[in-house]
Amino acid sequence: MSSSLPRPLPVALVGIGKIARDQHVPALAGSDAFALAACVSRSGGIEGIETHATLEALLDARPDIPAVSLCMPPVPRFAAARAAIAAGKHVMLEKPPGATIAEVLRLRQMADGAGVTLFASWHSRMAGGVAPAKAWLADKRVRRIRIDWKEDVRKWHPGQEWIWEAGGLGVFDPGINALSILTEICPGLLHLTAATLTFPENRDTPIAADLTFTGGDDVEATAGFDWRQEGDDIWQIEVETDAGPLRLTEGGSRLFIDGAEQEAGTLGEYPALYARFDELIAGRHSDTDAAPLIHVADAFMLGRRVAGAAFHD
């Protein structure tokens, strides 16, 4: 890290919702690289941490804080990131990095022009089994991929109306986690060819999606995302190769090759994200891979819309 920056680096957390409390706050508490110095929230802050009602108020009051982590929903995130970059802050974006691909590309241009780091984070890529899966697949021929990503929306997104509004992504909010793993372990291999999206009659975003991809004549790939799951969550990716099958389960935290469980990383997704943010700032680089979001955009472009029953939280 640059000698002009303090260590640990003060960071502000913007948007104190479920993901911030469950993941970001504990990760920062255990970090040697960062110290949580302030937060922005209109609905309650974090005990013992300086709280501001708006990002503008934070930027005015704390010019000494060099980095911000944005955890608000995707639609308002562009304006917040733009303001932070204009103020010379390094910025970490919770997934998805924006409501549109154009936003992400524009933010990258702004960050490059301002000489600050922009990190579009994909937490599921940091799951313990993902890196060893990518390494094992590097010299294998992929023949088939099957993704099943199914959970109960009432369990994981209780009362979060923004996910049902335009720009909120609906079932792609968790589904993009699977796509982030897919584009990490098989980079550049696939593109979407068809999609069926099921929309509750009273909502603007889908509750379920079935996707079909191709990577050539001999590669088949499908994905099923569903928020109507009852019972245990299913977060699984299966890959058939010329050297046998690979399976990632529990969101990528467990890896099996030919049925045998492999050693996986243990750092944790969000601690690993902040370690990566630290590396990027130190090297004065940005990381804004939009590949998972491109698949989602393609699904909305190609997708056949199916009407489903009304959803009530």
Side-chain angles (χ1 to χ4, degrees):
M1 181 169 293
S2 170
S3 59
S4 64
L5 294 175
R7 187 79 174 187
L9 195 68
V11 62
L13 198 55
V14 183
I16 309 303
K18 179 175 174 56
I19 194 67
R21 295 185 186 278
D22 290 353
Q23 302 293 344
H24 289 263
V25 172
L28 287 168
S31 174
D32 294 328
F34 294 97
L36 181 56
C39 63
V40 174
S41 178
R42 291 190 176 95
S43 58
I46 300 167
E47 185 177 355
I49 301 297
E50 172 186 328
T51 303
H52 299 268
T54 66
L55 177 61
E56 291 73 17
L58 168 74
L59 295 174
D60 287 343
R62 295 297 306 272
D64 59 308
I65 296 178
V68 298
S69 183
L70 302 182
C71 303
M72 72 272 284
V75 170
R77 200 177 300 149
F78 174 80
R82 179 177 58 187
I85 290 169
K89 310 302 182 186
H90 304 293
V91 176
M92 177 168 152
L93 304 169
E94 178 58 77
K95 65 86 188 174
T100 70
I101 298 167
E103 287 183 1
V104 181
L105 299 178
R106 178 64 182 136
L107 289 174
R108 177 59 184 265
Q109 292 175 337
M110 294 173 63
D112 288 348
V116 298
T117 289
L118 179 66
F119 179 30
S121 69
W122 299 105
H123 67 82
S124 289
R125 287 182 172 177
M126 302 298 182
V130 173
K134 180 179 181 178
W136 188 81
L137 287 169
D139 62 352
K140 309 299 186 298
R141 183 167 184 166
V142 174
R143 292 173 174 163
R144 189 185 72 87
I145 300 171
R146 173 64 201 178
I147 299 173
D148 291 288
W149 221 257
K150 301 177 181 182
E151 62 186 56
D152 182 352
V153 65
R154 292 183 175 91
K155 173 182 176 182
W156 293 104
H157 302 271
Q160 295 181 11
E161 287 298 312
W162 64 266
I163 58 175
W164 297 111
E165 299 168 356
L169 295 189
V171 75
F172 285 104
D173 182 74
I176 204 170
N177 295 333
L179 297 175
S180 73
I181 295 175
L182 175 66
T183 51
E184 178 70 8
I185 64 175
C186 299
L189 177 65
L190 302 170
H191 68 271
L192 194 79
T193 57
T196 299
L197 311 181
T198 301
F199 286 74
E201 63 181 20
N202 61 335
R203 303 292 182 168
D204 293 325
T205 56
I207 198 168
D210 290 293
L211 312 179
T212 302
F213 304 85
T214 186
D217 294 339
D218 58 350
V219 178
E220 299 178 357
T222 56
F225 305 151
D226 204 321
W227 256 348
R228 300 165 297 188
Q229 175 73 1
E230 297 180 359
D232 294 339
D233 303 310
I234 301 173
W235 298 313
Q236 176 173 282
I237 299 176
E238 297 176 318
V239 184
E240 291 184 6
T241 79
D242 59 348
L246 175 149
R247 185 163 59 99
L248 286 163
T249 68
E250 298 181 24
S253 63
R254 300 180 69 185
L255 170 64
F256 299 82
I257 296 175
D258 271 336
E261 187 161 10
Q262 309 296 304
E263 185 174 349
T266 58
L267 179 58
E269 294 178 10
Y270 281 83
L273 284 182
Y274 278 100
R276 175 62 174 157
F277 192 28
D278 179 41
E279 292 174 356
L280 291 169
I281 293 172
R284 298 192 175 276
H285 301 303
S286 289
D287 180 352
T288 55
D289 180 20
L293 192 57
I294 290 171
H295 284 314
V296 173
D298 285 352
F300 278 101
M301 292 176 68
L302 285 174
R304 181 174 65 92
R305 181 182 179 121
V306 175
F311 175 83
H312 300 283
D313 203 350

